[in-house]
Each structure stands twice: as structure tokens, then as C-alpha cells.
Amino acid sequence: MSKQPVRLGMLGAQHGHAAGKLRWLRDLDEIDLAGVYEPCADARAAKESEPNSAGLPYVDDIDRLLEDPSVLGILIGGAERQNPSYARRALQAGKHLLMEKACGWTHAHADELTGLAESSGLLFQMGYNNRLTPHFRRVLDMVDEGEFGDIYRVRSHMCSFYHPSADTYLGRDRYFNGGIFYNLGSHALDMAMAVLGTPAKVHSFLRCDRFIESGYIDNATVVLEHPNAIATLEASHLETEQVRPRSFEVYGSEAQAIVSPWASIGDRAPAVAIHRGGPGAGADGWKVYGTGREAPFRDDVEHFVACIRGECQPRFSYAHDRAVHHTLMDICGETDVAEEVA
């Protein structure tokens, strides 16, 4: 017997990940898309020009989604200064939430939003879209099963190619600190903390090496210090190509894993190389696992639907998402920029 589709809506469509999410809201049989609220006509027109987000049912009144009891969950995908306000309204309306990263630009944003969801018994899922892809799930499953033994090091290299539009985040439009680490390094932080938990100390090296006049942080290395492990997270806006160099590595006493690349590039598909058997296994201990499919943003949308249906529990807890955001704020620093109110 086929299952009834889950009715969802989306607030905002200006986030960089929005088109990827909208594709699956529109195309997956298990979803009934009630509508997308995006008040900016230019943003709607831009989405209509993209194959992944064309043909969407837009609504002019946000309350058509928030006051509809048949809408069980809301995805938040607006411009990031709008998203805390969108998320707050959706949670206050009793909707499960899948929120695009980041959770905001203050410590208080994470406490308020995760606390509101938790106290109301609502799902709160952050849109760090790598956390549920097959290659990262394999690594996290190994962590859960203790297959790495004692983990003593995590390393991530997740950078972006140089382009002058990084200055978009400066001046009057700048609402966050930390530059490229806030914008991109947060993905790596999420995964590192999924492996090692909350660090005891954070050491941040946030540099401006090319955008000298603007002051945009374009070259960053963050060291997370744990009682028996170290994580080093590299993020820059200076590389000539951004996909092939990305890697995420976990080193333990019994096994190690290297995710690289994170997405397809040229003749290389995303994969994870895993070494088992300890030092005695030598080179024969390596095995490479492919992903089987590559469908960006599909995994977290499908997981959200499955959690709403009660078919599984969220892979990441309220406490994890709170801790990641607090650590991100410890690294980058807060700002006092006002939200754009929905």
C-alpha cells in the first residue's frame, strides 16, 4: 500500500541551497508541496529560470502555509537575515522544521529556536547538507559502532574558489563575522563535532590574505582541542578549483577514513576510502566505497519526511545543533545586526 505524501511548505527561496531543496519538494512522490512563500518578485523570477526550481506553487500570504493544519513541516530557505524570523514563526505555528544553515549570527538564536522546537516536541533539523550523504553516513555509522577505536584526529579541507563577489558580505550587507569560515567552514565544523563532540578549547586563525581592503576573512584554520583528540578545519576563499580538494578525514587506533571528493568532479565520484585492521593490515586494509548515487540535498529532505512520519529518529539532536552553533559563534564572534522580520 502506498503511503500518503507528507504536506510541506517552504518559507523563503533566496538561500544558496534553496534551488536544490525546491527540486525535491517539487519532484518527490512522498511530498505534497503546499506552496512556497517568497515575497521578493525578483527572487521568484530567478528561481523560475532554473530547471531545479521552475514551476513552483508560490503563495502570497505566509499564513496560508502557517495556518494550514495539513502542512506538517516547513523548510526555511530565505535570505539568511530573514531565516531566524521565518523559523520562529513556523515553530510558533506548530510546524516541524528543516532550517538552512546557519542558525543565525548570535548564541541566542540557537538557544531560542532549538529550545522552542524541543519544548514543543517539534523536529528541528539543520540543513548542513553533507551530514546525511552516503559517504558521510558510512563514517558516522563507524563512529557510532566504535569501529575507529580511540579517535585522535579529524581533519577537514573545505574551501571555495576565489571570486570578487565574496565582498557581497561586507559593508551594510554584512550580518555575520568569520567570513569564509562562517559561510563554508560551518559544514566541516558540523561533521567534526558529530565525530568528536563539543571541543574543550577552540583556537581560531582567521586571516584576510587577498581581500585586504575589504577585510573579508578569506583564509581560515580552526583547531578544536578535545581531551584526547585534535581537529583541524581549513577553509579559504582563495583556491583555483574548489571541489576536487575537499576532504574529511578521521584517524583512530583501529581504523581511518578519508572522504574525498565530497561531490563529483571530472572523472571522480564522491567516495570514502576506509582502512580497517589496524597497523597490521598495511596497504591491504584499504577499501574504497562509492556513494551509489549523487543527488544533492535529497538525503536531508527524505530524512525530514521519514522523521515526520515516525519511521526513524533524527540523526542529529537538538543538543548537537545547539553546540555546533555555539562553537561557530565562539570561532567567528557574534554581531548585533537586526533580523529582517518575516
Side-chain angles (χ1 to χ4, degrees):
M1 180 181 295
S2 62
K3 301 175 183 177
Q4 285 291 107
V6 174
R7 194 160 168 82
L8 301 177
M10 187 163 179
L11 302 184
Q14 297 185 51
H15 192 280
H17 294 169
K21 292 286 200 306
L22 287 166
R23 171 190 179 185
W24 302 115
L25 292 180
R26 181 193 64 191
D27 293 350
L28 289 176
D29 290 339
E30 58 260 46
I31 294 172
D32 175 15
L33 179 57
V36 179
Y37 175 73
E38 173 48 67
C40 176
D42 289 342
R44 293 196 301 269
K47 289 295 178 287
E48 279 299 309
S49 69
E50 299 180 41
N52 277 351
S53 54
L56 296 167
Y58 286 99
V59 299
D60 294 326
D61 184 352
I62 192 172
D63 288 330
R64 282 187 56 187
L65 300 176
L66 297 182
E67 295 181 0
D68 183 346
S70 71
V71 175
L72 301 181
I74 293 288
L75 280 74
I76 305 298
E80 291 188 18
R81 283 186 62 183
Q82 301 169 339
N83 285 344
S85 179
Y86 280 144
R88 186 181 299 110
R89 289 198 61 179
L91 290 168
Q92 289 170 342
K95 309 300 185 185
H96 298 296
L97 203 71
L98 170 52
M99 181 179 183
E100 269 306 339
K101 63 90 182 172
C103 192
W105 48 94
T106 69
H107 287 282
H109 279 131
D111 288 337
E112 178 195 5
L113 296 176
T114 61
L116 182 57
E118 189 169 13
S119 65
S120 303
L122 297 169
L123 298 171
F124 185 92
Q125 183 175 322
M126 284 301 303
Y128 289 111
N129 57 291
N130 297 290
R131 54 166 50 170
L132 292 167
T133 55
H135 36 317
F136 280 103
R137 283 205 313 270
R138 186 180 294 274
V139 172
L140 296 182
D141 287 345
M142 290 179 64
V143 173
D144 291 345
E145 295 298 322
E147 292 185 46
F148 285 103
D150 296 324
I151 298 173
Y152 60 87
R153 178 172 289 276
V154 169
R155 176 183 175 271
S156 175
H157 183 87
M158 188 184 185
C159 297
S160 185
F161 61 90
Y162 168 78
H163 59 85
S165 65
D167 281 346
T168 299
Y169 300 112
L170 300 171
R172 65 178 181 83
D173 294 321
R174 177 180 173 182
Y175 63 92
F176 63 85
N177 288 326
I180 189 62
F181 196 88
Y182 175 95
N183 212 28
L184 195 63
S186 53
H187 285 283
L189 178 66
D190 177 57
M191 296 308 303
M193 290 180 62
V195 173
L196 291 174
T198 303
K201 295 181 181 179
V202 173
H203 308 277
S204 304
F205 303 89
L206 307 179
R207 297 170 56 91
C208 176
D209 288 329
R210 188 160 185 176
F211 295 98
I212 302 297
E213 292 185 8
S214 66
Y216 179 75
I217 299 298
D218 56 23
N219 196 9
T221 295
V222 171
V223 179
L224 308 179
E225 190 175 348
H226 296 260
N228 297 297
I230 290 175
T232 55
L233 313 178
E234 303 165 4
S236 84
H237 222 308
L238 305 177
E239 301 196 354
T240 57
E241 197 285 315
Q242 65 179 350
V243 179
R244 178 64 186 88
R246 291 184 180 181
S247 64
F248 184 83
E249 306 166 17
V250 179
Y251 297 93
S253 58
E254 300 298 326
Q256 56 197 54
I258 301 173
V259 176
S260 182
W262 294 23
S264 292
I265 174 71
D267 62 351
R268 295 182 62 90
V272 54
I274 295 174
H275 187 272
R276 291 185 172 93
D284 292 336
W286 286 105
K287 183 175 180 180
V288 177
Y289 299 85
T291 60
R293 73 173 189 191
E294 187 176 10
F297 306 104
R298 180 172 179 169
D299 298 287
D300 47 346
V301 172
E302 289 185 324
H303 183 67
F304 185 53
V305 170
C307 289
I308 290 174
R309 284 177 165 164
E311 296 170 351
C312 64
Q313 293 298 310
R315 182 76 189 246
F316 296 85
S317 67
Y318 305 108
H320 171 83
D321 284 331
R322 266 195 300 270
V324 168
H325 191 75
H326 283 310
T327 305
L328 183 64
M329 292 296 95
D330 290 341
I331 292 166
C332 298
E334 299 180 291
T335 71
D336 59 1
V337 175
E339 297 176 11
E340 292 182 3
V341 178

